[in-house]
Structures are given as C-alpha cells and as structure tokens.
Amino acid sequence: MNEIAETPQAVPMHRDGEQPFIHIQGLRKSYRKKGEESVALSNVTLDIYAGDMVSLVGPSGCGKSTLLKILSGLHAHDGGTLEIRAGAGRHFNPGRDVGMVFQQPLLLKWRNILDNVMLPADILGLTRSAARVRALELLDMVGLGGQGKKMPYELSGGMQQRAAIARALLHDPSLVLMDEPFGALDALTREKMNLEMLRIWEQSHKTFVVVTHSIQEAVFLGTHCAVLTAGPARMADFFPITLPAPRTLHVKATPEFTAYVSRIYDLLGVA
Ligand code: ADP
Ligand code: MG
C-alpha cells in the first residue's frame, strides 16, 4: 500500500503553488419569491483542491442545496466568482464532469441495478460495452458485486444508496456532489455508509462535496468543513479537519473529534 492510501484523510500541508480545483469568492445567490428578492447565499468564499472531501454543514434553509446546485451548473449565481478547472485545456462541463447523489436513491424501478448504474452512459451517449465493464467494477467497489441483476425493490435502502453512488461515478466525473445522501437511512446504516463513503472516496481519487445537517457526520467525513449559517445565509467558517487516519467510528470518542463538533456548535450558536 502506498503512503497516500494509508493516510486518506491527511490534509496536504503545502498547497502553495497548487491551483484550487474550485475557487469560490464572494459568491451570492438570491431567489425571487412573490416579486421579493430573498438572499439564499451571501458572500461564500472557499477554495477546494482536487481530492478533497468537503463537508458542508448548516441548518435547514441556509443555502446548502443552493450552493450544490450552483456547483452542478443547475442554477446560476448572481454575484461573486466561481471557477472550476477541468484540466487538460478544456472547460468544466457540469453535464460530464459532475456526479450527483441525492437523499433518495432515485433508481428507476423498471431497470435492474446494473442498468440503473449505466443510466449516465445512455444519457451521455457513452459506449455501452465500456460502460458495462465500468458499472460492474463500480458495483464491486460499492459492495454490490453480483447484485446487478436484482431490481431496486430487492435491495435495502442502504444498498440502493450504494447503487446511486456507483451511478454517480459511472461517467468518471471529477466532482461528486452529494446532498444529504444518508438523510433517509437509519442511524446505524448511516454510520456504516459513512465508513463506506470514506473508502469509496479514497479509491475513486475524486473531489467530493457532501451536504449534511449532521455536525458529527460533517466532522467524520470531511478533510475540510464549510459551515453555513442562516438568517442571513452566509459562510461562517471553513477549516481543515486533521483527525488521525484511517478514520474509524472510534474517532468519534476522541477529544479531537469533540473539539471540532464543539467548534461547529459555537459557530451555529446551538451550544
Ligand atoms: P438548505 O439546502 O440549506 O436547506 P436551500 O439552498 O434549499 O437550503 O434554500 C436556501 C433558501 O433559498 C431557503 O430560504 C429556500 O426557501 C430558498 N430557495 C431555495 N430554492 C429556491 C427556489 N427554487 N426558489 C425560491 N427560493 C428558493
Ligand atoms: Mg437542502
């Protein structure tokens, strides 16, 4: 095993000279509600580097989903700067370069698991034979090897969400965006999925941005944590999380973990 694989959560110490993958500066977004402007995001600033796992935490309505929608190209921002580098001299194309996971797995109930994972290939017009090989690899990676022929209803909620993660990775996106991906799961399954997700992130070598309203989940998952507060929605803090790696659920019992959690409670004014 190489050094990087052994320390998946290590935060790179020397970022000077490395360009951020995503540069967000003073980002603003407002919606029009019944003719009135309501500010969903004001002055969000953060840099995300390739390979980071950024958790985005904050109370309901503080603009977490809005920020993800802007990153995914679904919504436009109306102030500030957003730059995402695609590399190799091309423009970042959200349709090809982003994989999305939502709170619900949103599997098509008339397609088996393998065909669900292959859905992006159909949408993007990728070669089916190559996509099938990739889908089978991904099913193995998310712990669903041999389950491809099953229909969605035959899988548990946690397994369906793993299939949704495999589907999000099929077209080899450089950025994976997850909006409360484990919000619909029971507490124990959720903790298991957190462990799985760290493994998947580590193996995929991709950049993940994960929205959660669970402060513990944000600290457990992130190499970095962005805290948003509501009323008015703004960015309260953005900091690296340097917990020992590899992370296991036992890290939650350590003083370091508790200190990060307390820091976020203080920022959100809920302590
Ligand atoms: P979160 O995901 O943190 O719960 P959202 O980003 O969904 O927050 O919403 C932030 C704010 O923007 C909320 O006040 C919400 O009502 C508002 N909002 C979100 N989407 C829309 C929309 N499409 N049109 C109008 N207002 C919206
Ligand atoms: Mg949301």
Side-chain angles (χ1 to χ4, degrees):
M1 205 189 272
N2 66 26
E3 202 180 304
I4 294 170
E6 277 170 7
T7 56
Q9 279 81 50
V11 174
M13 299 305 288
H14 302 291
R15 296 196 153 199
D16 297 350
E18 186 190 347
Q19 285 219 31
F21 172 43
I22 304 175
H23 172 65
I24 304 173
Q25 177 87 47
L27 200 76
R28 238 186 64 88
K29 167 75 183 170
S30 51
Y31 293 108
R32 286 219 152 262
K33 274 188 200 163
K34 295 176 189 154
E36 295 233 339
E37 185 177 89
S38 95
V39 178
L41 288 177
S42 87
N43 202 10
V44 170
T45 295
L46 65 153
D47 280 343
I48 298 174
Y49 289 79
D52 283 354
M53 161 78 85
V54 176
S55 53
L56 202 60
V57 69
S60 185
C62 73
K64 302 181 297 295
S65 295
T66 298
L67 184 52
L68 277 204
K69 284 174 189 160
I70 293 171
L71 289 174
S72 71
L74 223 57
H75 282 351
H77 54 290
D78 42 37
T81 307
L82 168 65
E83 290 162 8
I84 310 183
R85 296 186 322 126
R90 32 174 223 103
H91 284 293
F92 188 82
N93 172 357
R96 295 235 162 208
D97 296 327
V98 170
M100 292 283 298
V101 178
F102 302 94
Q103 183 167 350
Q104 300 298 336
L106 305 175
L107 300 175
L108 299 176
K109 58 179 187 238
W110 59 89
R111 280 187 171 219
N112 68 23
I113 293 300
L114 179 62
D115 286 340
N116 264 287
V117 172
M118 284 178 62
L119 192 66
D122 297 344
I123 293 169
L124 295 170
L126 310 180
T127 315
R128 271 191 75 84
S129 54
R132 191 167 188 282
V133 171
R134 178 75 183 135
L136 290 168
E137 281 171 9
L138 286 167
L139 282 173
D140 272 342
M141 186 172 108
V142 301
L144 291 177
Q147 313 271 349
K149 291 240 166 72
K150 291 201 172 149
M151 299 306 282
Y153 73 86
E154 295 180 87
L155 302 190
S156 68
M159 290 163 92
Q160 289 189 24
Q161 201 58 325
R162 288 165 195 249
I165 294 170
R167 181 185 55 195
L169 295 171
L170 184 86
H171 54 297
D172 202 24
S174 50
L175 177 61
V176 179
L177 303 174
M178 300 187 157
D179 198 347
E180 313 247 8
F182 310 123
L185 303 178
D186 66 89
L188 198 58
T189 306
R190 186 171 182 153
E191 292 204 301
K192 283 188 191 155
M193 286 299 292
N194 281 183
L195 283 171
E196 279 297 300
M197 203 174 104
L198 284 180
R199 191 182 58 75
I200 292 165
W201 163 71
E202 184 196 338
Q203 288 186 4
S204 70
H205 303 288
K206 297 188 186 304
T207 308
F208 278 48
V209 180
V210 182
V211 162
T212 176
H213 55 237
S214 160
I215 293 169
Q216 278 78 9
E217 190 169 84
V219 173
F220 183 70
L221 290 177
T223 58
H224 297 76
C225 181
V227 183
L228 296 177
T229 55
R234 60 175 189 84
M235 177 101 175
D237 203 357
F238 181 57
F239 52 88
I241 297 175
T242 54
L243 290 168
R247 285 182 201 176
T248 68
L249 293 174
H250 296 296
V251 80
K252 295 188 179 186
T254 64
E256 292 83 4
F257 185 88
T258 313
Y260 282 117
V261 170
S262 292
R263 174 175 179 164
I264 300 174
Y265 279 142
D266 287 344
L267 286 164
L268 298 178
V270 290

